[in-house]
Amino acid sequence: MTITHPSTDILILGSGASGAAVAWRLSKSDFKVVCLEQGRWIKPEEYPNEHADWEIQARTNWAYDPNVRSLDVDYPINVDESPIDPLMFNAVGGSTIHWTAHTPRFHPSDFRVKTLDGVADDWPITYEDVEPYYDAYDELMGCSGINGDPANPPRKERPMPPLPIGPDGERMARAFDRLGWHWWPSDSYVNSIPYRGRQACNNCGNTGFGCSRGAKGQTDVAIWPEAIANGVELRTDSRVFRIETDADGRTTGASYYDADGEENFQPAKGVVLAMNGIGSPRIMLNSASDAYPDGLCNSSGLLGKNLMFHPYAMVSGLFDDGLKTYKGALANIILCQEFYETDPNKDFVRGYSYQVARSSGPVSTACGYMFGRVPWGADHHSEFGRRFGDVTVLGVIGEDLPEEHNRVELDPELTDSNGIPAPRVYYKLSSNSRKQLDDAIENAETALHEAGAVEVLATQLLKVAGWHLMGTARMGDDPKSSVVNRWGQAHDADNIFVVDGSVFVTSAAVNPTPTIGALALRTAAYIDRERADLKS
Amino acid sequence: MPEHDNETKLTDADRLVLSAVMDLIVPAVDELPGAGEMGLAEAAEEFAGKEVKYGVSLGRVMEALSLEPSARAEGGFAALDEEQRVAALQVLEANIPGYFDDFVDLVYIVYYSDERVHKRIGWRSGPLQPLGWEMPAWDPAVLETVSKRKPFWRKV
Ligand SMILES: Cc1cc2nc3c(=O)[nH]c(=O)nc-3n(C[C@H](O)[C@H](O)[C@H](O)COP(=O)(O)OP(=O)(O)OC[C@H]3O[C@@H](n4cnc5c(N)ncnc54)[C@H](O)[C@@H]3O)c2cc1C
Ligand code: SF4
């Protein structure tokens, strides 16, 4: 027997970076809002950094990869045809529980790559369209950083000063200075000072596995409390399997399983999908109906296609000056955008950023997350001693261009713990991305040697690196070549919206979440302004 | 013969071999004996019992070791001298690299989670919070050079 709930105005699916933003924005007007989230609230004392075995938890029940974590709340992902594993977290706060909160913005050029470089597509919107929402999301989540970056347009003062860059950051910055290359202190949604009732970061270093101090911009602590206080209902342990539609293809709400495995139906006047760049196309594909034989709002045939990841190369420098650089937020140090734009002298288009990251604890060092596994046997201790606390990493984030053959589909056999079909991912590294990464590796080696590294090790393509999930329900003005319009509203149904990374047209060469959050706020503002018809 | 599913069960004889192998993976250093002699085989077995990947790797390595010709000589692995033991492990490393790497990780995980080891390498044991770490404060002077650069983002 299906349990049917009283109708709501707006039903948000997913409580991560984008879902929370929409909930918060709509909670400030008089929409009735319900959010369905498959995960649960995580208590501060549950985070690995509250436990002595934090490094073990990071590799097991708190692993980045849902296929490794394998919790009931996770859904499996078939990655047999992908050299990159998609990463995510499923709980209130979504992947912002796990993220390292490095928060650069797109450049104005990122919205115009077709016009400027003749590749992919232009976005239907500009940097200027998004800018006020970037500012608003920065304020909501709490951005630490400083004005004056010559690689980016001037912008509003960040709410907090930058995080300390540490001796390792300074060592790298000086090297960039000597090479005449750009660098700037990272923008981070990590509190450098107490902010809106949340504590300042105390540099524990384990940013990527949840912050028990509330110092990191996770939406469970930065956004949800206010949205709930304003009247939004956040319903946890609620796993959506289908978005329901009427004969005209407009949504009537969503069906989900509750914690007891019972089927529920939540009627709504409008539905906002925020389950991330894999989760949203998965559930849309699973919502095929007479109106939508190929998946919800898929008249373009592009749903699930154009998956972009940011293929990630890691170039690690080993230093011998004993700085012990495991102190400080893991990957929120400095950013180098010297090679951000297309260089006509190179054999690839678009460019890349370097995100500087630091060392971690003893288990990670030995098992080699940053610098290869330490050899066993007679040389073990001397090698461990050389590496422990003495590695600085240049992570390469290259612009991944959209290609239709890179895609998310439903797996014909694999399911989650409720029996909902799991996603299967096809992804091939393009030759443009490979050339970008090769160039980036070469330049990173130069920079690390300049900084004094005694040895440099490059990981050509990191497998456990699908942290950015984009492009699978792209936006555009033309319904034939896009799934949603410039407001994130489906071309095929005016009461269905997508607000996560699925809507990205291109990926830029920066971490995506400030852009995801800004676009989500923009869609919410549009609903508030233009869609009184969705209000009861 | 150990079972090599998640329920890896070792016999007492297996445990002695595991302990000897762990001493080769992480040998004695300074005042610390090797990982096996430190008594960490039990912790490795326990952890492997909880985590499928490590359970499987432990089972496979123990099984492969029991089949490895030099270790099958009279007296088994225990009767080999150190050089022969290392050679036996190198054979495994070449033949079953994935399982062997996971097994090495298993040994490292239990070894580098041990407080005696932390003391030796100068690492503060226990949870990262609430202490965190001290860091020198943000110093805007580091921006002196890069701030002089003219804006260079691409205009649209
Ligand atoms: C380890 C890691 C590090 C990262 N670091 C950075 C970084 O430094 N900077 C950056 O910009 N980005 C980073 N990211 C990416 C960032 O976390 C994501 O871009 C962002 O969280 C995406 O927001 P979202 O709202 O689209 O999805 P998510 O935050 O993933 O939220 C989706 C939510 O939907 C829920 N959901 C999914 N399916 C269903 C269903 N069927 N029913 C109900 N609920 C469902 C999930 O449980 C989840 O809570 C990182 C990600 C990871 C994993
Ligand atoms: S480094 Fe800072 S933000 Fe990261 S987990 Fe530790 S206290 Fe939290």
Side-chain angles (χ1 to χ4, degrees):
Chain A
M1 249 292 269
T2 302
I3 303 164
T4 299
H5 297 262
S7 186
T8 190
D9 295 342
I10 299 293
L11 177 62
I12 301 169
L13 311 179
S15 69
S18 58
V22 173
W24 174 85
R25 178 62 183 77
L26 292 180
S27 78
K28 299 178 94 60
S29 68
D30 45 2
F31 282 92
K32 267 197 296 185
V33 181
V34 172
C35 174
L36 300 177
E37 165 56 53
Q38 66 183 343
R40 61 176 180 85
W41 290 92
I42 308 282
K43 299 186 195 85
E45 61 271 22
E46 291 181 70
Y47 288 115
N49 61 6
E50 291 290 327
H51 301 267
D53 64 349
W54 60 278
E55 284 197 284
I56 295 177
Q57 295 202 30
R59 312 177 81 79
T60 55
N61 54 323
W62 275 85
Y64 289 155
D65 184 343
N67 286 345
V68 172
R69 258 185 346 255
S70 277
L71 305 177
D72 263 0
V73 74
D74 295 316
Y75 53 87
I77 304 174
N78 182 337
V79 291
D80 291 349
E81 301 288 335
S82 174
I84 298 173
D85 295 340
L87 310 177
M88 63 184 71
F89 200 72
N90 300 307
V92 174
S95 305
T96 67
I97 302 285
H98 251 169
W99 77 327
T100 53
H102 187 258
T103 54
R105 293 181 178 183
F106 274 35
H107 289 209
S109 63
D110 290 322
F111 294 89
R112 287 286 169 276
V113 298
K114 176 86 172 174
T115 303
L116 294 172
D117 292 325
V119 289
D121 268 312
D122 289 345
W123 288 57
I125 53 178
T126 63
Y127 177 87
E128 288 70 27
D129 291 329
V130 188
E131 192 178 7
Y133 301 99
Y134 272 132
D135 291 342
Y137 199 63
D138 278 3
E139 206 167 312
L140 200 53
M141 294 285 264
C143 184
S144 298
I146 189 165
N147 274 5
D149 178 2
N152 281 275
R155 56 191 256 198
K156 210 174 149 193
E157 196 84 21
R158 278 79 164 170
M160 289 175 274
L163 293 165
I165 68 171
D168 45 347
E170 192 166 341
R171 181 175 60 192
M172 213 54 242
R174 294 283 174 243
F176 288 141
D177 280 347
R178 286 193 296 278
L179 290 166
W181 293 3
H182 164 266
W183 70 274
W184 201 253
S186 289
D187 281 310
S188 298
Y189 290 175
V190 171
N191 296 352
S192 58
I193 53 175
Y195 186 72
R196 294 189 166 177
R198 293 187 288 120
Q199 300 186 81
C201 167
N202 69 357
N203 315 308
C204 83
N206 205 29
T207 323
F209 298 95
C211 179
S212 59
R213 290 173 68 79
K216 180 173 73 165
Q218 302 174 184
T219 62
D220 61 328
V221 291
I223 299 186
W224 276 110
E226 190 180 337
I228 290 169
N230 291 346
V232 176
E233 184 196 345
L234 172 53
R235 205 174 295 154
T236 57
D237 300 298
S238 303
R239 184 177 253 166
V240 176
F241 60 91
R242 200 179 154 80
I243 294 148
E244 307 292 351
T245 48
D246 60 20
D248 298 331
R250 297 182 88 243
T251 185
T252 54
S255 298
Y256 66 96
Y257 293 113
D258 63 21
D260 301 322
E262 298 290 338
E263 237 180 89
N264 287 240
F265 175 58
Q266 175 59 59
K269 287 174 170 272
V271 168
V272 177
L273 286 92
M275 293 174 284
N276 81 34
I278 301 248
S280 287
R282 171 198 182 209
I283 297 304
M284 290 171 85
L285 289 166
N286 200 47
S287 303
S289 62
D290 288 346
Y292 298 114
D294 301 321
L296 186 72
C297 300
N298 192 18
S299 62
S300 66
L302 290 174
L303 180 63
K305 295 189 176 155
N306 293 303
L307 171 68
M308 296 174 282
F309 272 137
H310 287 143
Y312 194 90
M314 196 167 92
V315 192
S316 309
L318 182 61
F319 292 82
D320 63 359
D321 47 12
L323 284 184
K324 296 295 165 233
T325 59
Y326 41 69
K327 300 176 181 174
L330 182 72
N332 310 72
I333 313 173
I334 63 176
L335 179 73
C336 168
Q337 296 195 319
E338 186 63 28
F339 308 100
Y340 198 83
E341 292 291 348
T342 297
D343 177 346
N345 299 316
K346 296 198 168 154
D347 60 353
F348 58 89
V349 281
R350 307 301 297 156
Y352 52 86
S353 300
Y354 292 123
Q355 180 181 352
V356 179
R358 45 177 54 110
S359 297
S360 191
V363 172
S364 309
T365 305
C367 295
Y369 186 64
M370 298 286 188
F371 204 81
R373 185 178 287 101
V374 176
W376 60 274
D379 296 334
H380 176 78
H381 294 292
S382 57
E383 260 313 304
F384 178 87
R386 241 161 58 85
R387 297 183 196 185
F388 181 46
D390 287 318
V391 177
T392 294
V393 171
L394 298 193
V396 180
I397 301 184
E399 176 158 358
D400 193 10
L401 293 169
E403 296 178 292
E404 277 191 30
H405 59 81
N406 291 334
R407 63 192 189 275
V408 178
E409 292 180 351
L410 293 182
D411 193 280
E413 284 160 21
L414 196 63
T415 64
D416 64 21
S417 56
N418 287 106
I420 308 171
R424 156 169 90 177
V425 168
Y426 289 86
Y427 184 89
K428 259 193 155 144
L429 187 73
S430 70
S431 70
N432 194 66
S433 286
R434 186 64 267 163
K435 287 175 191 160
Q436 249 177 20
L437 293 178
D438 290 344
D439 189 76
I441 289 169
E442 201 180 317
N443 282 326
E445 286 169 351
T446 302
L448 284 162
H449 284 304
E450 179 63 39
V454 290
E455 208 179 315
V456 175
L457 181 79
T459 307
Q460 304 289 324
L461 179 69
L462 203 62
K463 184 159 171 56
V464 187
W467 23 60
H468 305 156
L469 311 171
M470 301 161 287
T472 47
R474 70 200 311 221
M475 68 160 62
D477 286 334
D478 182 355
K480 288 200 190 68
S481 57
S482 53
V483 179
V484 299
N485 70 13
R486 58 178 57 210
W487 301 107
Q489 177 187 304
H491 289 298
D492 295 347
D494 73 358
N495 65 347
I496 297 177
F497 299 83
V498 184
V499 291
D500 50 48
S502 309
V503 304
F504 279 31
V505 179
T506 54
S507 67
V510 288
N511 321 59
T513 310
T515 308
I516 292 175
L519 292 174
L521 288 176
R522 185 170 175 274
T523 293
Y526 169 80
I527 293 173
D528 187 19
R529 197 174 61 238
E530 306 286 338
R531 300 304 301 273
D533 61 307
L534 300 178
K535 217 181 269 184
S536 46
Chain B
M1 177 75 60
E3 296 165 30
H4 45 74
D5 54 15
N6 196 25
E7 299 278 296
T8 305
K9 298 253 183 326
L10 302 183
T11 62
D12 285 347
D14 290 332
R15 287 189 186 106
L16 287 177
V17 172
L18 174 61
S19 190
V21 170
M22 288 175 73
D23 280 339
L24 294 177
I25 302 284
V26 186
V29 61
D30 301 337
E31 74 287 1
L32 284 182
E37 222 183 302
M38 280 174 70
L40 294 174
E42 200 181 317
E45 191 184 352
E46 192 188 318
F47 187 67
K50 285 192 287 201
E51 295 295 329
V52 182
K53 179 168 106 166
Y54 300 105
V56 170
S57 71
L58 175 60
R60 286 288 160 92
V61 165
M62 296 302 289
E63 182 185 38
L65 204 54
S66 69
L67 298 174
E68 212 283 308
S70 60
R72 278 162 64 193
E74 202 175 333
F77 189 79
L80 304 178
D81 66 23
E82 182 163 337
E83 210 174 304
Q84 290 167 320
R85 289 179 180 191
V86 169
L89 289 189
Q90 283 165 342
V91 171
L92 261 54
E93 189 172 29
N95 290 348
I96 48 166
Y99 294 121
F100 191 82
D101 284 352
D102 287 345
F103 171 74
V104 171
D105 278 355
L106 169 64
V107 177
Y108 289 170
I109 284 170
V110 293
Y111 183 79
Y112 284 103
S113 298
D114 191 279
E115 290 190 12
R116 291 165 291 181
V117 175
H118 292 169
K119 195 166 164 221
R120 186 193 151 258
I121 62 174
W123 174 256
R124 188 186 71 206
S125 289
L128 290 167
Q129 292 293 350
L131 289 177
W133 300 107
E134 287 288 330
M135 273 185 92
W138 159 247
D139 176 7
V142 294
L143 292 175
E144 199 188 328
T145 305
V146 66
S147 303
K148 290 189 188 127
R149 188 154 172 188
K150 294 250 176 320
F152 67 99
W153 77 88
R154 195 172 178 187
K155 304 289 186 305
V156 177

